[in-house]
Amino acid sequence: MHRKGIRVPKAIVLGGYGLIGLACMRALSRAGFEVSGVGRSMRSANAVDLSVEWIIRDIPTITVEEWSAILDGVDVIVNASGALQDGARDDLEAIHVTAVARLVEAAARLPVRIVQISAAGVSESASTAFFRTKARGDMILSSGAKNWIILRPTLVLSQEAYGGTALLRAASALPLIQPHVLASAQIQTVYVGDVAAAVVASAQGQIRSGTIADITEQDTHTFPDLLAKVRRWQGWSGPVASPTIPAALVSAVGKIADLLGHLGWRSPLRTTALKALADGIRGDPGAWAKAGGSSCRSLDDTLALLPATRQERLFSRAYVALPLAIGTLAIFWLLSGLITLIDPARAMSVLAERAVSSWVIAPTVLGGAVADILLGIGILWRPWSRHAALGMLGLSSAYLIGSLFAAPDLWADPLGPMVKVLPGMTLAALVWLMLEER
């Protein structure tokens, strides 16, 4: 692309609608680059307020030949894609290793600079598969590419809330309490804008090829201190109590989150995230300073830069409430269906006593019970969860409408069996409205 005879440099950002990728796309665009993004969800891409070209692909499936075509005429490619842990939608080996290997092979024949967003603390002997696969991808890049830079940020803080940043917000927003957990963990942070600025400097050629640098603030914080600072930043009053959370309980929570990961939920409480926090997230800003990079903001400066609005506080509380709502709905609908199947005759008698046609009773009761169970299971499976919430609203509406014709007297029952359906519908509606990842 040319503007008034001047060639405009072109950049492609992998994972362009992610927390770091989106910041990089915006910064590169402001710096005068023609920017394109790569990601697998057109819905997420369309939700981003950027007028850029999107290449909708599952990055690990892109072949070397396809990369060669994508990179034609591109000056810089920024790899901000990645996953925290293997799960129903993520394969660490594929995204961190295979995809990088194919990209490097294609770029070897082209005049393109690769800027890799890695992570501080990566090592092939690290305690988690995330750090090990990231390290292998970095090694493939550094040994095979001609023009490359590897940036390794510490814990990234942003106005966006996703993954670890969302976990911090939620944990610090718990009413009355602040859990005392991972007391010995040492954490350094970095503002997402500083990561994006480092990417721009790398893309513009201000940083020499072959640079490997941590992108981080100077100071280190314990995890409880970090939570306390975030809590004050959000505007909450001090906790009434700070109960110590046993390591065994933290481990159990991580294993439960891992199981949910196989159902498609990318919880920041999975064992990889907890292990990374427990080991500490630290980096050395010295290499970046030596390479000519600008220093990064401190935690205090980052928090001062980000607005803690009412929306921020509502999100933090809602982040805790959402899994509770989903769990409640799953248990309610599963038990409703199972109890009916355990004693279907009792459920059928409710209709039989009200002169409902016999041929309608069995299909209605048994079909409804099976539907209840399927919806209870469906809301736990992340790809189906929003559809299941809508299904709960639809089936509940059918129950209510049907009761007006078949058993209107139940509306006046002192125990309120029909009226109590309404709060469940409201909860399902809230889950449907809140189930957004980005």
Side-chain angles (χ1 to χ4, degrees):
M1 181 176 177
H2 293 75
R3 296 173 185 166
K4 296 182 180 180
I6 301 175
R7 181 181 179 276
V8 176
K10 185 173 181 179
I12 291 181
V13 180
L14 310 186
Y17 48 69
L19 186 144
I20 295 176
L22 179 57
C24 291
M25 291 187 70
R26 288 172 172 162
L28 287 166
S29 182
R30 289 193 299 268
F33 284 81
E34 178 190 350
V35 184
S36 300
V38 182
R40 61 183 170 187
S41 171
M42 178 58 79
R43 185 171 182 274
S44 296
N46 287 337
V48 174
D49 186 22
L50 279 178
S51 298
V52 300
E53 177 187 357
W54 286 98
I55 302 169
I56 304 303
R57 291 294 305 274
D58 188 10
I59 293 170
T61 68
I62 302 176
T63 66
V64 175
E65 292 72 22
E66 289 171 327
W67 274 124
S68 297
I70 291 171
L71 296 178
D72 184 35
V74 172
D75 299 280
V76 178
I77 184 159
V78 179
N79 183 15
S81 64
L84 180 66
Q85 190 167 324
D86 288 327
R89 294 183 289 169
D90 299 308
D91 183 334
L92 296 184
E93 183 75 16
I95 189 66
H96 293 161
V97 181
T98 304
V100 172
R102 292 174 180 171
L103 174 61
V104 167
E105 184 177 346
R109 301 187 291 269
L110 299 169
V112 59
R113 166 167 281 198
I114 302 175
V115 181
Q116 167 97 329
I117 307 296
S118 185
V122 301
S123 166
E124 290 192 77
S125 61
S127 60
T128 67
F130 169 78
F131 286 121
R132 292 193 298 270
T133 53
K134 274 287 190 181
R136 289 171 58 197
D138 289 355
M139 183 182 67
I140 290 170
L141 177 64
S142 61
S143 61
K146 294 187 299 184
N147 190 349
W148 57 271
I149 291 172
I150 297 173
L151 304 177
R152 293 173 171 170
T154 49
L155 182 63
V156 179
L157 299 182
S158 169
Q159 60 268 34
E160 302 286 339
Y162 184 72
T165 60
L167 174 62
L168 275 177
R169 286 163 158 88
S172 61
L174 292 173
L176 302 179
I177 67 170
Q178 180 180 303
H180 190 73
V181 62
L182 304 177
S184 61
Q186 299 291 311
I187 311 294
Q188 286 172 279
T189 68
V190 61
Y191 174 51
V192 70
D194 291 336
V195 178
V199 168
V200 171
S202 301
Q204 291 176 330
Q206 299 174 25
I207 308 299
R208 64 177 178 81
S209 176
T211 295
I212 300 177
D214 295 333
I215 309 299
T216 183
E217 64 171 331
Q218 290 277 356
D219 299 333
T220 303
H221 320 272
T222 66
F223 188 70
D225 286 344
L226 180 58
L227 278 183
K229 285 194 174 187
V230 173
R231 188 182 186 100
R232 287 194 295 271
W233 164 72
Q234 288 178 319
W236 303 113
S237 58
V240 174
S242 297
T244 298
I245 309 300
L249 180 57
V250 174
S251 177
V253 169
K255 290 176 181 178
I256 292 171
D258 286 349
L259 290 175
L260 294 175
H262 294 293
L263 296 177
W265 298 96
R266 293 169 168 165
S267 170
L269 288 171
R270 286 178 290 175
T271 52
T272 293
L274 295 176
K275 180 63 176 172
L277 287 172
D279 290 345
I281 302 175
R282 299 182 301 277
D284 180 2
W288 181 240
K290 185 176 180 181
S294 300
S295 59
C296 298
R297 291 172 176 82
S298 67
L299 172 62
D300 290 339
D301 289 341
T302 296
L303 295 178
L305 184 66
L306 301 174
T309 62
R310 180 172 179 268
Q311 292 93 318
E312 166 70 36
R313 289 185 285 276
L314 285 174
F315 167 84
S316 301
R317 290 279 169 88
Y319 194 81
V320 178
L322 180 59
L324 295 177
I326 292 171
T328 299
L329 287 170
I331 292 171
F332 171 78
W333 284 83
L334 282 169
L335 287 179
S336 177
L338 290 173
I339 290 171
T340 299
L341 292 181
I342 290 172
D343 190 3
R346 184 178 179 183
M348 292 180 190
S349 68
V350 174
L351 297 179
E353 291 169 358
R354 289 163 176 81
V356 176
S357 299
S358 58
W359 65 271
V360 173
I361 295 176
T364 299
V365 170
L366 297 178
V370 171
D372 288 355
I373 293 171
L374 291 177
L375 288 172
I377 295 172
I379 202 166
L380 295 175
W381 175 244
R382 182 61 183 89
W384 297 349
S385 53
R386 294 189 86 236
H387 302 295
L390 282 178
M392 290 173 179
L393 285 170
L395 191 55
S396 296
S397 298
Y399 288 154
L400 294 180
I401 294 171
S403 71
L404 292 174
F405 295 97
D409 58 294
L410 290 179
W411 283 88
D413 190 302
L415 296 179
M418 304 314 301
V419 174
K420 288 177 181 176
V421 175
L422 298 175
M425 293 179 67
T426 302
L427 194 62
L430 287 174
V431 168
W432 178 75
L433 290 169
M434 292 167 61
L435 274 173
E436 292 289 343
E437 282 198 337
R438 301 186 187 275

